[in-house]
């Protein structure tokens, strides 16, 4: 294998310039995040921008429900009007005719069963209704039996402070210190998902336009692939850099304390995950001549990444579970799983050493395999390439 640094850098520079100018890059980097953030903000505003709620009730237990309750919801007041009904059927009719938002029925035997019935046109009634009812029921059950201090403690039983402890000492945990590793996982997923689209578009477009053949006249397949990976990685880092810049104000605002060890570990696994996926996707995408055919194989590879995200709660609550450990040793899922585990506990050094070794070996194998596939694929123009044909090529490579 003869590698020319000069040619790799030249090809990498060309790849950077050509991909940054693509509409796909602009959409994925700037427009999509802006749209997602905008819709999230608008959705939140719409969810909590409720001035009043009308709730009917049939109280056979005797809760002493007031005519109205004002609840503060993220800085906005919502007035809940309670309308008493003697007839359940009349209340249901008013719910259907949208005269009231919901009908609550408190049976006479509530103390024995705890059963509450809510009739609503939606499958998920506004949580303000259930939260307010919960407070009224607690007040009724404790009235005359406990003092005000005990009553307040029943409503708010815990003012929780969590300290993570190890042989090195202990430190106070906060919400964002747990949230940021989760943000890293989604950042890596978005980066690799975007990376797959860029690689597939770049390689297949050059094959279709016969530019690939001209590039092979200038350089070897090895230099071409390494140059592409270098260039596309730089494009990806520019993309990620823009996303990180958007998140910096949040970090500064809350002054989140994250250990240097966790930061280094996250960066190391980010780089390893990026190199593994970029080399693998570059080699595989070279076998296809049409994006539609490529997506059939690329989609399962990208979906494998979802495993740690799907089991995120399990991994963070029980980071040393055998399932979490297994995911730490699979190169497709290790970059996500190790960081999630590290954010929750001190991972045994043997686990990190084994996971890192597997990742490095996988990256080397991925590069060697991709170079062989790239040599075959860049000059392969077979129609309707499928998984069976791809596997045949891989085992012959």
């Amino acid at each position: 294998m003869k590698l020319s640094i000069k040619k790799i850098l030249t090809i990498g520079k060309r790849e950077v310039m050509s991909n940054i100018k693509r509409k796909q890059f602009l959409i994925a980097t700037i427009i999509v995040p802006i749209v997602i953030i905008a819709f999230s903000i608008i959705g939140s505003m719409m969810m909590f921008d409720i001035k009043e709620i009308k709730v009917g009730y049939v109280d056979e237990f005797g809760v002493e429900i007031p005519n109205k309750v004002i609840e503060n919801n993220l800085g906005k007041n919502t007035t809940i009007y309670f309308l008493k009904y003697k007839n359940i059927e009349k209340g249901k009719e008013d719910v259907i005719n949208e005269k009231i938002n919901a009908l609550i029925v408190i049976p006479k035997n509530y103390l024995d069963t705890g059963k509450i019935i809510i009739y609503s046109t939606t499958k998920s009634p506004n949580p303000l209704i259930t939260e307010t009812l919960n407070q009224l029921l607690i007040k009724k059950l404790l009235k005359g039996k406990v003092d005000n201090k005990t009553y307040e403690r029943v409503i708010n039983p815990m003012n929780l402070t969590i300290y993570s402890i190890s042989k090195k000492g202990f430190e106070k945990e906060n919400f964002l210190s747990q949230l940021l590793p989760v943000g890293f996982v989604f950042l890596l997923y978005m980066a690799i998902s975007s990376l797959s689209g860029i690689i597939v578009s770049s390689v297949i477009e050059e094959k279709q336009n016969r530019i690939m053949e001209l590039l092979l006249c200038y350089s070897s397949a090895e230099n071409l692939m390494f140059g592409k990976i270098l260039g596309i990685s730089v494009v990806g880092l520019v993309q990620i850099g823009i996303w990180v810049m958007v998140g910096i104000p949040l970090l500064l605002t809350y002054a989140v304390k994250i250990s240097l060890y966790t930061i280094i570990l996250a960066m190391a696994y980010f780089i390893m995950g990026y190199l593994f996926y970029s080399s693998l996707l570059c080699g595989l995408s070279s076998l296809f001549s049409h994006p539609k055919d490529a997506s059939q194989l690329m989609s399962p590879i990208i979906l494998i990444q979802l495993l740690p995200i799907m089991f995120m709660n399990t991994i963070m609550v029980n980071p040393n579970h055998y399932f979490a450990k297994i995911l730490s040793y699979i190169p497709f899922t290790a970059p996500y799983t190790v960081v999630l585990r590290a954010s929750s506990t001190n991972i045994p050094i043997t686990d990190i050493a084994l996971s890192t070794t597997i990742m490095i070996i996988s990256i080397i194998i991925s590069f060697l395999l991709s170079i062989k596939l790239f040599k075959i694929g860049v000059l392969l123009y077979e129609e309707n390439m499928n998984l069976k044909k791809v596997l045949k090529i891989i085992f012959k490579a």
Side-chain angles (χ1 to χ4, degrees):
M1 186 189 299
K2 294 181 180 180
L3 298 178
S4 169
I5 300 299
K6 184 179 178 180
K7 290 183 178 181
I8 290 173
L9 291 175
T10 303
I11 294 167
K13 183 180 177 181
R14 176 192 173 277
E15 201 68 32
V16 170
M17 298 309 296
S18 62
N19 280 295
I20 284 180
K21 294 176 182 178
R22 289 174 182 269
K23 290 181 181 179
Q24 181 185 359
F25 175 80
L26 179 65
I27 292 171
T29 306
I30 300 173
I31 297 177
V32 170
I34 289 175
V35 170
I36 292 172
I37 293 170
F39 274 103
S40 299
I41 294 171
I42 293 169
S44 299
M45 291 173 64
M46 290 173 66
M47 182 184 294
F48 298 111
D49 189 22
I50 302 173
K51 293 182 179 179
E52 65 177 41
I53 301 172
K54 291 182 179 180
V55 180
Y57 69 93
V58 176
D59 183 11
E60 298 174 353
F61 179 67
V63 180
E64 298 178 7
I65 297 175
N67 293 329
K68 70 175 182 179
V69 175
I70 299 175
E71 294 284 351
N72 186 278
N73 204 12
L74 293 181
K76 294 185 177 182
N77 288 333
T78 300
T79 303
I80 304 176
Y81 293 96
F82 288 98
L83 309 173
K84 189 172 183 178
Y85 282 77
K86 292 183 179 180
N87 187 289
I88 295 176
E89 294 304 318
K90 172 60 177 171
K92 288 164 130 182
E93 185 181 330
D94 284 355
V95 171
I96 293 170
N97 294 328
E98 298 184 353
K99 291 182 179 180
I100 56 176
N101 298 98
L103 175 70
I104 298 169
V105 178
I106 308 173
K108 192 173 184 179
N109 63 344
Y110 161 74
L111 192 60
D112 297 321
T113 65
K115 185 177 181 180
I116 299 287
I117 300 169
I118 296 180
Y119 295 98
S120 172
T121 55
T122 62
K123 294 182 179 180
S124 300
N126 193 306
L128 279 177
I129 297 173
T130 53
E131 288 170 11
T132 304
L133 179 61
N134 186 61
Q135 297 294 324
L136 293 172
L137 288 168
I138 291 174
K139 187 175 182 180
K140 168 64 179 177
L141 294 172
L142 297 180
K143 187 178 180 181
K145 298 178 182 178
V146 299
D147 55 64
N148 290 334
K149 187 180 288 186
T150 304
Y151 171 73
E152 289 297 329
R153 190 54 58 237
V154 170
I155 294 176
N156 300 299
M158 289 191 296
N159 183 11
L160 193 61
T161 302
I162 300 174
Y163 290 90
S164 60
I165 187 168
S166 65
K167 292 180 180 179
K168 298 178 182 179
F170 63 92
E171 62 181 6
K172 186 177 178 180
E173 293 293 330
N174 58 54
F175 173 69
L176 278 177
S177 66
Q178 293 291 318
L179 183 62
L180 285 175
V182 175
F184 162 84
V185 167
F186 281 102
L187 181 67
L188 180 57
Y189 178 76
M190 288 173 64
I192 292 175
S193 298
S194 177
L195 172 75
S196 65
I198 294 173
I199 288 178
V200 171
S201 298
S202 175
V203 174
I204 293 179
E205 186 179 297
E206 288 180 358
K207 282 184 67 175
Q208 290 176 336
N209 297 332
R210 305 286 178 169
I211 295 174
M212 193 71 74
E213 295 175 19
L214 295 174
L215 291 173
L216 286 172
C217 294
Y218 166 76
S219 181
S220 65
E222 291 92 342
N223 289 328
L224 184 56
M225 195 191 87
F226 275 98
K228 277 192 166 295
I229 292 173
L230 174 64
I232 291 170
S233 296
V234 170
V235 172
L237 291 174
V238 170
Q239 190 177 64
I240 294 163
I242 293 171
W243 293 340
V244 170
M245 289 295 289
V246 174
I248 284 177
L250 181 67
L251 298 178
L252 296 177
T253 300
Y254 291 94
V256 181
K257 183 181 179 182
I258 305 175
S259 67
L260 181 62
Y261 172 76
T262 304
I263 294 172
I264 293 172
L265 193 68
M267 290 177 64
Y269 272 88
F270 188 96
I271 292 169
M272 288 191 290
Y274 208 81
L275 287 174
F276 173 74
Y277 274 100
S278 62
S279 57
L280 185 64
L281 292 171
C282 195
L284 289 173
S285 62
S286 67
L287 299 176
F288 298 92
S289 300
H290 297 281
K292 185 178 179 181
D293 294 336
S295 64
Q296 294 176 3
L297 182 64
M298 299 300 177
S299 296
I301 293 173
I302 298 300
L303 287 174
I304 292 173
Q305 300 175 90
L306 288 174
L307 274 174
I309 297 174
M310 291 168 61
F311 294 97
M312 186 181 295
N313 289 335
T314 303
I315 294 169
M316 296 186 75
V317 171
N318 196 354
N320 288 322
H321 191 271
Y322 73 90
F323 180 70
K325 288 189 174 185
I326 290 171
L327 291 181
S328 299
Y329 305 141
I330 300 173
F332 292 95
T333 57
Y336 304 93
T337 310
V338 171
V339 175
L340 286 174
R341 291 179 64 197
S343 70
S344 302
T345 189
N346 292 314
I347 308 176
I349 192 67
T350 51
D351 283 16
I352 295 176
L354 181 57
S355 176
T356 303
T357 302
I358 291 172
M359 280 301 303
I360 292 171
I361 293 172
S362 299
I363 290 168
I364 294 170
I365 293 172
S366 177
F367 265 90
L368 293 175
L369 176 63
S370 293
I371 287 170
K372 290 183 178 180
L373 294 178
F374 201 79
K375 286 180 178 179
I376 300 168
V378 290
L379 298 176
L380 185 66
Y381 293 92
E382 185 173 345
E383 299 288 338
N384 301 318
M385 179 67 72
N386 54 39
L387 180 60
K388 185 178 179 180
K389 291 178 181 178
V390 170
L391 290 174
K392 189 176 180 180
I393 293 171
I394 288 173
F395 287 115
K396 281 186 177 181

